Amino acid sequence: MRILKFGGTSVGTPERILQVIEIVKGALQKEKVAVVVSAFGGITDQLIKVSEMASSGDESYKDLQIEIETRHIQAIKTLVHARRQSGVVAEIKFLLNELEDILHGIYLVKELSTKMRDFILSFGERLSASIIAEAFKEKEIDARFTDSRKLIVTDKNFGNANVNFTETNERIQKHFINAQGELIILPGFVASTKNNETTTLGRGGSDYTASIFAGALHVEVLEIWTDVNGMMTADPRKVRTAFTIPEISYEEAMELSYFGAKVIYPPSIQPAYQKEIPILVKNTFDPKGKNTIISGNAPDDEKPIRGISSMKDIALVTLTGSGLVGVTGSASRLFNALAKIQINVILISQASSEHSITIAVKEIDSELASKVIYKEFKEEFKGQKLDQVIVEQALSIVAVVGKNMKKTPGVAGRLFSSLGRNGVNVLAIAQGASELNISLVVRQIDERKAVSIIHEAFFLSETKALHLFIAGSTGLIGKTLLSQITKQFGSLKENSAIDIRLIGLMNTRKMVIEPNGINPESAQKVIEKADTKSSLDAFVDEMISQNLRNTVFVDATASQQISDKYEEILNANISIVTPNKLACSGDINYYKRLKKIARKRGAKFLFETNVGAGLPVISTLNDLIQSGDKIIKIEAILSGTLNYITNNVSKDKKISEVVLDAKEAGLTEPDPRIDLSGSDVARKILILARELGYELNMEDVDSEAFISKECLEAKDISEFFEKLKAYDETFEKERSKLDANDEKYRIIATLEDGKPKVKVKTFDKTHPFYMAEGSDNIILYTTNRYNELPLMIKGPGAGAEVTAAGVFADIIRIVD
């Protein structure tokens, strides 16, 4: 035999009730079945409200009462054929008239006792079960409504009555022995005293009813039908990658449910648990979908944890002071004081020093708890043996549950390091000796993020997700980066288990943030159609408030305003990837501060493309230093732009033409004067110097421009090109002399003895710099290890494709 229980959402509409009937018909073909049902979805809340309105003298309670009546009568008209409707309506009307009379009486006396409240609430399940029984009959199933109040006996603790199992089990067994094979439809949640006074079984009462019947009848399986596919590894509203747990132990299920997994209510499954009856949790709206079996012999999972749950609106209340140390009974006094005013302690954490006791309670109870504690320990506070009671609100508890944790070393380390890397601060921790549950308290704003981080760390460790926010998404580098992500998106996910989620885009005119993700392929269309005007402050604020794990901010601009935001972004534990050189070559104190914050917050600040575009210039330098090598000298062609210009100027192609070509090809900065002045190269050698530990600023770089001062001082780019055209002849005279000697101009950055320089030099064929082709960069590191023959890095050092590729590589490096 099986007991099938259907919750309020499962029987919320006539259409859903018909679906329930089909499920039960399928079960009846295999074995004997009894059905427990809840009130129609939302009716219990309406009954609470209508009774409170009546007791407060609000005459409009009648409107709500009529609404409740109409819903039930309408359900009959939909589910029952016209030839039988009048009889069924009359039966249900009898119950509804009784409810109307009771509410009128409450309205007159202006009083609502807990006893009367229980009686009013019982109408929800009794009406539902009666109508559903009639609906079964319409489908030619011999069904009979049986009032659970005649079978479940409780004490007089109205609102949360305690079951007398001896008498209850005897009544249930006797009733089912005498049943003539019909399908029994039972209202959940309701019971009665020995004197036939209606009681209710409290929260999770319908599950409890089903569990009581299952235990009394020793059924093979108890089925709980709800609106989700069983118990899940996490709340799917918080973690989109959550999945159904196939099998779970009673203890694990109760732990997860206690801390927020709302599929079942822990006390409600006790009767089935005690009789070791498996509980099958299924989805009414997906009967053939995945489900969960809760039992005493759930197999060990290969994962150390079974699931994660969380509960919000929590407060921590901490009692501190030396008067607690070594004093027997302090904890007992605290808990007894709270118990007297019925404040439930959810979590306890106490340091081994005994200098403090921290408890977690519902936030709504925290202020009262604080007052009661002060009152209980008033003598100790007077004697200054205790310091204070600290209340911290707006918190959440996250519970990590799994019986395998006891057998798996390093679970706690993995848990807390994952949270720490993502900037989630743990305020309190509790773990029992059984190691079935590690509970931790975090800020409520971090709850979703914490659950996602833990879920990824333990269930999706093979897949690593990154949430990208890109500034400059329609610029040359930004567009190229998005194109590269589009091409590699599927391959990265399939072959490298990297899930890149594009969340935010911004250019100088518009911005868009989509928490569910933006398809990289349609990113340009999305930003074009965006309605939100671009605001850097709003973009950064929203990125921080999204509080997503593994968030990366990509600055694909050359904006000082954006680079000034780096400190705020890193402080929010958001990693930064950027080709923008302004932050790393600006004020030395800002640069040092950014590096320090990144280390402190566990965020990454990656700017490989600041020097050499996609070439591994900075990473190689850091590898040399970290492996113990000493850098003696750096000599480098660091401007792919200038190298392109010097390689392409000829007697047939003037310098003004080549510079214009380079600008149109995206090889120069938006203002080519930055390249031609040598300041861009100066920034790059300065960055390398700083990476070596030299505390230098731009004014410390001895820098020489490639073209005349007059060209560089043009008022705008248009005038600059005019003056550069006038400079063509002068430049060609100097260049032709070099050409005659088979030499070439090169703009060389050097760093030796802590002195950075940028100079225009000439080289013949005997030097590697002469051979630099196109937009190549060449970097020579002379070190203790690479002394006679310097370490050389060579390759394209300019262009959107290679720069975007370098940015992309930094993004992937964050995952690794």
Side-chain angles (χ1 to χ4, degrees):
M1 181 179 181
R2 290 183 180 226
I3 301 291
L4 277 64
K5 179 264 173 180
F6 294 91
T9 54
S10 298
V11 296
T13 65
E15 293 74 24
R16 292 178 179 180
I17 291 170
L18 291 173
Q19 199 167 356
V20 166
I21 292 171
E22 290 303 311
I23 291 169
V24 176
K25 280 172 69 176
L28 283 169
Q29 291 174 5
K30 300 173 186 176
E31 59 193 311
K32 188 176 180 181
V33 166
V35 175
V36 175
V37 296
S38 297
F40 292 172
I43 288 294
T44 300
D45 288 340
Q46 287 185 318
L47 288 170
I48 292 170
K49 186 176 180 181
V50 75
S51 59
E52 289 174 347
M53 290 170 70
S55 67
S56 65
D58 183 349
E59 194 172 2
S60 65
Y61 83 87
K62 293 178 182 178
D63 296 332
L64 183 52
Q65 174 209 317
I66 291 169
E67 185 181 327
I68 293 169
E69 178 177 322
T70 301
R71 183 173 174 189
H72 288 90
I73 298 299
Q74 191 59 50
I76 295 169
K77 291 179 178 179
T78 305
L79 294 167
V80 179
H81 193 276
R83 67 178 180 272
R84 294 182 55 242
Q85 271 184 21
S86 58
V88 177
V89 168
E91 182 183 332
I92 297 303
K93 257 294 201 178
F94 180 81
L95 283 172
L96 290 167
N97 289 341
E98 186 180 7
L99 174 62
E100 181 182 358
D101 291 342
I102 293 164
L103 289 171
H104 181 64
I106 291 170
Y107 173 73
L108 293 175
V109 300
K110 308 291 188 294
E111 185 180 330
L112 178 64
S113 66
T114 53
K115 178 179 176 179
M116 186 54 67
R117 189 172 182 269
D118 270 8
F119 188 55
I120 291 170
L121 293 184
S122 76
F123 281 91
E125 271 70 17
R126 290 192 287 142
L127 287 164
S128 169
S130 299
I131 293 169
I132 290 169
E134 295 301 327
F136 271 102
K137 291 176 184 176
E138 280 298 312
K139 298 299 180 180
E140 299 181 349
I141 296 172
D142 185 13
R144 180 159 62 90
F145 165 76
T146 299
D147 195 338
S148 301
R149 295 179 300 170
K150 296 177 180 179
L151 302 177
I152 300 177
V153 182
T154 69
D155 63 11
K156 294 186 176 184
N157 187 31
F158 298 103
N160 193 16
N162 300 297
V163 177
N164 178 335
F165 279 98
T166 302
E167 189 161 347
T168 295
N169 290 345
E170 185 179 326
R171 288 191 184 190
I172 291 172
Q173 289 162 7
K174 184 177 179 181
H175 178 81
F176 274 81
I177 288 171
N178 294 329
Q180 299 299 312
E182 66 266 85
L183 174 64
I184 304 294
I185 309 295
L186 298 152
F189 185 53
V190 298
S192 68
T193 67
K194 288 183 179 180
N195 298 325
N196 297 319
E197 299 163 297
T198 297
T199 58
T200 60
L201 300 175
R203 181 184 163 192
S206 290
D207 285 353
Y208 195 19
T209 301
S211 186
I212 291 167
F213 277 91
L217 296 170
H218 301 280
V219 300
E220 292 179 16
V221 176
L222 165 60
E223 295 185 6
I224 305 290
W225 289 81
T226 180
D227 56 359
V228 294
N229 287 86
M231 299 192 73
M232 305 192 79
T233 49
D235 186 338
R237 293 168 298 181
K238 297 172 185 173
V239 181
R240 69 175 188 173
T241 52
F243 56 90
T244 299
I245 304 168
E247 296 186 62
I248 188 170
S249 69
Y250 293 115
E251 296 85 355
E252 289 169 322
M254 287 191 284
E255 287 283 347
L256 284 172
S257 298
Y258 180 75
F259 285 101
K262 299 185 185 300
V263 177
I264 56 171
Y265 181 54
S268 69
I269 68 170
Q270 281 291 341
Y273 171 34
Q274 289 166 0
K275 299 288 176 64
E276 297 187 350
I277 296 167
I279 300 170
L280 183 59
V281 184
K282 303 192 74 173
N283 189 345
T284 308
F285 313 115
D286 186 15
K288 294 181 180 179
K290 294 180 179 179
N291 53 67
T292 300
I293 297 175
I294 305 170
S295 70
N297 54 4
D300 287 346
D301 198 331
E302 61 181 22
K303 308 285 186 186
I305 73 172
R306 194 81 78 171
I308 309 152
S309 61
S310 61
M311 58 196 310
K312 62 180 182 178
D313 299 324
I314 297 297
L316 285 179
V317 181
T318 302
L319 176 63
T320 66
S322 58
L324 294 171
V325 180
V327 178
T328 305
S330 296
S332 174
R333 286 174 59 193
L334 186 150
F335 297 132
N336 286 336
L338 295 174
K340 286 177 184 175
I341 55 170
Q342 296 186 325
I343 289 180
N344 181 40
V345 175
I346 302 167
L347 176 149
I348 306 161
S349 181
Q350 184 172 19
S352 57
S353 66
E354 298 184 6
H355 188 266
S356 66
I357 300 174
T358 297
I359 59 169
V361 298
K362 290 180 180 178
E363 189 173 85
I364 197 170
D365 294 331
S366 59
E367 295 298 337
L368 178 59
S370 174
K371 290 176 183 177
V372 167
I373 293 169
Y374 270 117
K375 184 177 179 181
E376 175 65 29
F377 292 92
K378 62 182 178 182
E379 295 302 324
E380 286 84 350
F381 279 110
K382 280 183 183 178
Q384 298 185 338
K385 293 179 180 179
L386 295 179
D387 300 331
Q388 59 184 328
V389 177
I390 303 166
V391 176
E392 299 171 87
Q393 297 181 334
L395 307 176
S396 292
I397 293 176
V398 176
V400 180
V401 175
K403 61 182 181 181
N404 268 6
M405 288 196 290
K406 191 166 187 176
K407 304 174 186 175
T408 310
V411 172
R414 188 170 168 188
L415 170 65
F416 295 117
S417 64
S418 298
L419 293 171
R421 280 197 306 272
N422 284 275
V424 176
N425 189 33
V426 177
L427 305 174
I429 305 163
Q431 181 178 20
S434 68
E435 295 188 44
L436 184 65
N437 177 340
I438 299 176
S439 298
L440 44 103
V441 180
V442 300
R443 292 182 307 156
Q444 193 161 302
I445 193 174
D446 286 332
E447 178 191 340
R448 180 187 292 263
K449 184 178 182 181
V451 174
S452 294
I453 290 165
I454 298 167
H455 193 270
E456 184 174 284
F458 287 96
F459 291 109
L460 302 171
S461 53
E462 304 85 10
T463 302
K464 300 166 186 175
L466 278 181
H467 298 90
L468 289 190
F469 291 77
I470 302 177
S473 55
T474 55
L476 197 55
I477 293 172
K479 281 194 333 192
T480 307
L481 174 63
L482 286 168
S483 175
Q484 292 176 359
I485 290 173
T486 300
K487 290 174 184 175
Q488 286 297 109
F489 183 79
S491 175
L492 281 171
K493 198 165 186 179
E494 184 177 345
N495 300 322
S496 304
I498 296 173
D499 183 11
I500 293 180
R501 301 172 189 172
L502 184 59
I503 307 298
L505 301 169
M506 182 179 72
N507 60 24
T508 54
R509 296 174 294 105
K510 297 178 177 181
M511 69 180 200
V512 60
I513 291 179
E514 176 47 65
N516 294 322
I518 301 164
N519 185 341
E521 194 169 2
S522 58
Q524 298 305 327
K525 291 180 181 177
V526 170
I527 191 74
E528 284 170 18
K529 292 179 180 178
D531 296 324
T532 308
K533 190 177 178 182
S534 184
S535 163
L536 178 59
D537 287 341
F539 189 80
V540 172
D541 287 348
E542 183 62 21
M543 176 174 66
I544 293 171
S545 69
Q546 284 289 321
N547 205 18
L548 298 168
R549 69 193 187 286
N550 302 333
T551 295
V552 180
F553 175 70
V554 178
D555 175 13
T557 75
S559 165
Q560 181 70 56
Q561 185 185 11
I562 293 177
S563 68
D564 287 344
K565 279 283 186 179
Y566 289 0
E567 185 171 0
E568 180 183 352
I569 293 167
L570 288 170
N571 263 319
N573 294 88
I574 294 172
S575 295
I576 294 174
V577 172
T578 182
N580 186 343
K581 293 179 280 290
L582 296 178
C584 292
S585 61
D587 178 63
I588 181 64
N589 293 317
Y590 186 58
Y591 163 83
K592 288 168 65 179
R593 203 155 63 243
L594 294 179
K595 301 274 278 190
K596 184 178 180 181
I597 292 168
R599 285 193 300 271
K600 180 182 176 182
R601 296 294 183 185
K604 300 292 183 185
F605 177 37
L606 301 182
F607 44 90
E608 181 69 73
T609 49
N610 276 198
V611 182
L615 297 175
V617 178
I618 294 174
S619 58
T620 300
L621 183 65
N622 286 325
D623 287 346
L624 290 170
I625 298 165
Q626 289 167 11
S627 65
D629 204 352
K630 183 179 179 182
I631 309 299
I632 297 169
K633 181 169 64 172
I634 298 175
E635 302 168 276
I637 296 174
L638 291 178
S639 174
T641 302
L642 290 174
N643 205 47
Y644 174 87
I645 292 168
T646 56
N647 278 331
N648 285 277
V649 174
S650 67
K651 64 179 181 179
D652 299 319
K653 191 90 169 177
K654 306 302 181 186
I655 187 170
S656 61
E657 297 171 24
V658 175
V659 172
L660 184 60
D661 287 348
K663 183 177 185 300
E664 290 175 349
L667 294 174
T668 72
E669 296 289 339
D671 185 345
R673 288 174 293 180
I674 296 173
D675 297 290
L676 294 164
S677 68
S679 63
D680 186 58
V681 178
R683 287 184 185 279
K684 292 174 181 178
I685 194 65
L686 175 63
I687 291 167
L688 295 180
R690 288 177 172 181
E691 289 293 286
L692 287 173
Y694 294 109
E695 297 193 7
L696 302 171
N697 282 306
M698 276 293 283
E699 56 266 28
D700 298 313
V701 182
D702 181 4
S703 182
E704 179 182 355
F706 182 56
I707 57 171
S708 70
K709 186 178 180 183
E710 185 182 359
C711 290
L712 295 174
E713 290 178 348
K715 63 182 180 182
D716 54 34
I717 295 175
S718 177
E719 184 180 289
F720 159 71
F721 274 107
E722 289 176 12
K723 290 188 175 183
L724 187 61
K725 196 170 184 180
Y727 181 66
D728 282 342
E729 189 175 339
T730 302
F731 183 85
E732 178 54 27
K733 285 180 182 178
E734 295 299 320
R735 192 207 64 79
S736 61
K737 291 178 186 177
L738 291 179
D739 206 21
N741 295 325
D742 206 8
E743 294 179 337
K744 289 183 179 180
Y745 279 124
R746 294 289 184 252
I747 293 77
I748 304 301
T750 60
L751 177 67
E752 191 172 10
D753 298 327
K755 296 176 181 177
K757 297 178 181 179
V758 177
K759 298 294 179 183
V760 180
K761 295 185 178 182
T762 60
F763 294 92
D764 61 24
K765 290 182 178 180
T766 62
H767 199 282
F769 287 158
Y770 180 92
M771 305 305 294
E773 299 174 344
S775 60
D776 279 357
N777 279 192
I778 297 178
I779 298 91
L780 301 177
Y781 289 139
T782 302
T783 75
N784 281 346
R785 293 176 188 155
Y786 297 91
N787 203 320
E788 293 183 13
L789 187 64
L791 174 64
M792 183 169 72
I793 300 169
K794 180 181 177 182
E801 282 291 340
V802 291
T803 304
V807 171
F808 200 177
D810 270 352
I811 292 169
I812 302 304
R813 195 170 290 120
I814 286 176
V815 182
D816 295 335

